[in-house]
Amino acid sequence: MRTVVLTMKASVIEMFLVLLMTGVHSNKETAKKTKRPKFTVPQINCDVKAGKIINPEFIVKCPAGCQDPKYHVYGTDVYASYSSVCGAAVHSGVLDNSGGKILVRKVAGQSGYKGSYSNGVQSLSLPRWRESFIVLESKPKKGVTYPSALTYSSSKSPAAQAGETTKAYRRPPSPGTTAQPVTLMQLLAVTVAEATPTTLPRPSPSAASTTSSPRPQPVGHRSQEMALWSTITYTSSQNRPGAKPGFVPKEELSTQSLEPVSLGDPNCKVDLSFLIDGSASIGKRRFRIQKQLLADVAQALDIGPAGPLMGVVQYGDNPATHFNLKTHMNSQDLKTAIEKIPQRGGLSNVGRAISFVTKNFFSKANGNRSGAPNVVVVMVDGWPTDKVEEASRLARESGINIFFITIEGAVENEKQYVVEPNFANKAVCRTNGFYSLHVQSWFGLHKTLQPLVKRVCDTDRLACSKTCLNSADIGFVIDGSSSVGTGNFRTVLQFVTNISKEFEISDTDTRIGAVQYTYEQRLEFGFDKYSSKPDILNAIKRVGYWSGGTSTGAAINFALEQLFMKSKPNKRKLMILITDGRSYDDVRIPAMAAHLKGVITYAIGVAWAAQEELEVIATHPARDHSFFVDEFDNLYQYVPRVIQNICTEFNSQPRN
């Protein structure tokens, strides 16, 4: 009996020494495996599509020449994964045609992708796709390890031609094929337990040969381990919550798991700039309160490429951009960046800052999107140290919606120092209270969060997004009578073309329609017929000369019924009538009907047109709405005057 016990102890000690050696070797092997190599940016070719790359987020280097139209791109801002990665980077403006490094982030598939022309690349439309991606500047996210070698859905990847190290997609190893390192205390605990009078598991023949080998097998060896080793491995793996026995998840060794990225709230697609007060008078504590409001706004807005985008400019003596619209594409990154903004100090030159934003901030290079309203929120502690009225007027005329948040205004004995009394009302887009928020104390600033977010996202009320060039339905009423003649009629059409070119034309911006008349009337095309400038200009060229009498009064009535009846309620209605003679019918009643229906009429007479008749047709005051030209060849000279008068009238509307 004593001999048996000694034999068992000797066997246990022998197994302990073998397993200890295996554990030490395993530790060394694991250390070698988990040692993080130096990150090298993978290179890809222009024709590599995002859908071929399995990694959810990665940094790559694109070569030059990806602007070529043979590399297809689908979508705008958010691209279908069927697109060329590098082609999308050029289209988005992150890269130019010389190539460079980019960060690519996979996002959810979309129900539709809209094509557009941008940065020399024409992207295409696509009705639906299973997966999307966005392209950002190659700034690594803190805490994320990006792959040095991309994982492809097929081992025969075109990227391999670029000299990149690629990996074909493989299923992860099954549990039990990768041994976990075991601590000495865990091993002793199991050994003591196995030394108790119980039946020990018998190793399989293959396991026996493995343990008797003088050199331990490498980690991941496919042969089965002895039963005791399997038990120890399983026990050690239980110390990691959710871990599988003997399996090191790939993401623990390379990249952390990435949460789904929001594309932003599509119901609040605005391009927003915060002008924050960094003057010395504000102090550090109040500057932090100001930054907290910005962070809360960023969180509430749900920032993303399909929704609102936000940048920050700080002003003091001079303004400076901290980040533009495309620097941060989600709320969390934006909040992190806001926390790091330092205070600049200096005066409180708000007017200079508004001028800076108008000239520099809302550009395509800074991420400005043509279909999104431009919004500036100006935060002012007390009062500005310069004037804001003129700078704000220019901003409004550029289509920028200006909001003011004023905190702790001047008390009675301080009003003598205010450079421009009532500055907020002189600056904002409308003086009806919608664009102004005032709080008596910095500690009440948080109360502006909800009303501000609601108003910024109420795109129907962002009136300053509408300019004189993008907010009208313009109907041309063209005299096609016999006295005009074919050659002069072509000159009139060129005049119509030159005016139309000045406007931003689309279904949601300015729309153009045309009527030709003699004794009779003909609708050449309505407001809803064409929705792009090239289509409109081509339609004008195709208008054929009719010839006949001159019934101007009937033509005005026809235009009101067939053209302006289909005008949109939120559009300014402009009628531009061109005639070369006196009308055969009465124009007074039709002209009055046009005025009553809110149609602003410009009357342009050539050669034999009657001046007094033009003044009756034109909207009051007639001197701003009627023009007489002695010859058809001089019509072109009046294009700038007509455009200027249209814009002057638009900009002089009451701001309430």
Side-chain angles (χ1 to χ4, degrees), residues 172-219:
S174 58
T177 60
T178 304
Q180 292 292 313
V182 184
T183 65
L184 178 61
M185 291 304 295
Q186 288 172 321
L187 187 58
L188 286 173
V190 174
T191 306
V192 171
E194 295 296 338
T196 56
T198 57
T199 305
L200 286 171
R202 297 185 64 183
S204 64
S206 61
S209 63
T210 302
T211 54
S212 63
S213 172
R215 181 169 51 185
Q217 295 293 334
V219 175

Side-chain angles (χ1 to χ4, degrees), residues 299-315:
Q299 184 65 47
L301 283 178
D302 187 13
I303 301 296
L309 295 179
M310 179 174 155
V312 175
V313 173
Q314 183 181 169
Y315 67 87

Side-chain angles (χ1 to χ4, degrees), residues 99 259 287 386 458 598 653:
E259 296 181 359
F287 189 75
D386 64 349
D458 191 354
Q653 294 177 102

Side-chain angles (χ1 to χ4, degrees), residues 81-395:
S81 63
Y82 194 60
S83 305
S84 156
V85 172
C86 298
V90 176
H91 182 271
S92 67
V94 174
L95 288 185
D96 56 24
N97 201 34
S98 61
K101 297 176 186 177
I102 56 170
L103 192 156
V104 178
R105 185 178 296 159
K106 297 285 189 71
V107 294
Q110 303 290 293
S111 59
Y113 300 83
K114 188 176 180 181
S116 66
Y117 182 82
S118 179
N119 301 308
V121 176
Q122 176 65 59
S123 70
L124 307 173
S125 296
L126 197 66
R128 182 184 294 274
W129 199 249
R130 61 182 177 270
E131 183 185 55
S132 312
F133 68 99
I134 57 176
V135 184
L136 306 169
E137 295 176 358
S138 60
K139 293 180 180 178
K141 203 173 180 181
K142 204 168 184 180
V144 178
T145 304
Y146 294 93
S148 294
L150 301 177
T151 304
Y152 286 84
S153 57
S154 170
S155 59
K156 295 180 180 180
S157 167
Q161 299 170 10
E164 179 198 354
T165 304
T166 63
K167 298 186 294 182
Y169 178 65
R170 295 193 301 267
R171 294 182 63 183
S174 58
T177 60
T178 304
Q180 292 292 313
V182 184
T183 65
L184 178 61
M185 291 304 295
Q186 288 172 321
L187 187 58
L188 286 173
V190 174
T191 306
V192 171
E194 295 296 338
T196 56
T198 57
T199 305
L200 286 171
R202 297 185 64 183
S204 64
S206 61
S209 63
T210 302
T211 54
S212 63
S213 172
R215 181 169 51 185
Q217 295 293 334
V219 175
H221 192 268
R222 298 191 64 84
S223 65
Q224 293 203 357
E225 307 292 345
M226 60 185 294
L228 178 60
W229 177 244
S230 298
T231 305
I232 295 173
T233 302
Y234 179 81
T235 305
S236 69
S237 70
Q238 302 311 300
N239 293 328
R240 293 187 299 105
K244 295 181 180 180
F247 173 60
V248 180
K250 181 181 176 182
E251 60 268 22
E252 285 188 16
L253 297 177
S254 57
T255 62
Q256 69 178 49
S257 60
L258 298 166
E259 296 181 359
V261 179
S262 171
L263 297 179
D265 181 2
N267 297 315
C268 182
K269 190 174 181 180
V270 296
D271 288 344
L272 172 64
S273 171
F274 262 90
L275 265 177
I276 62 172
D277 191 340
S279 59
S281 62
I282 193 174
K284 292 183 179 180
R285 185 179 184 185
R286 289 181 289 186
F287 189 75
R288 285 197 299 270
I289 295 173
Q290 184 177 215
K291 290 201 298 180
Q292 184 59 53
L293 176 67
L294 265 65
D296 293 342
V297 168
Q299 184 65 47
L301 283 178
D302 187 13
I303 301 296
L309 295 179
M310 179 174 155
V312 175
V313 173
Q314 183 181 169
Y315 67 87
D317 291 334
N318 294 295
T321 302
H322 285 285
F323 37 84
N324 62 33
L325 295 167
K326 66 180 184 181
T327 308
H328 302 293
M329 302 298 282
N330 62 72
S331 294
Q332 188 54 52
D333 288 352
L334 186 57
K335 286 172 64 179
T336 303
I338 289 168
E339 290 170 6
K340 298 176 181 177
I341 295 176
Q343 186 177 355
R344 292 174 61 83
L347 298 174
S348 183
N349 290 331
V350 178
R352 184 177 295 178
I354 293 173
S355 294
F356 172 83
V357 168
T358 303
K359 294 174 184 176
N360 302 295
F361 188 85
F362 292 107
S363 66
K364 195 171 184 179
N366 287 336
N368 188 47
R369 300 166 293 180
S370 58
N374 295 158
V375 178
V376 171
V377 178
V378 185
M379 303 187 68
V380 182
D381 173 44
W383 59 89
T385 52
D386 64 349
K387 292 187 176 182
V388 303
E389 184 174 14
E390 180 63 17
S392 300
R393 182 185 66 79
L394 293 173

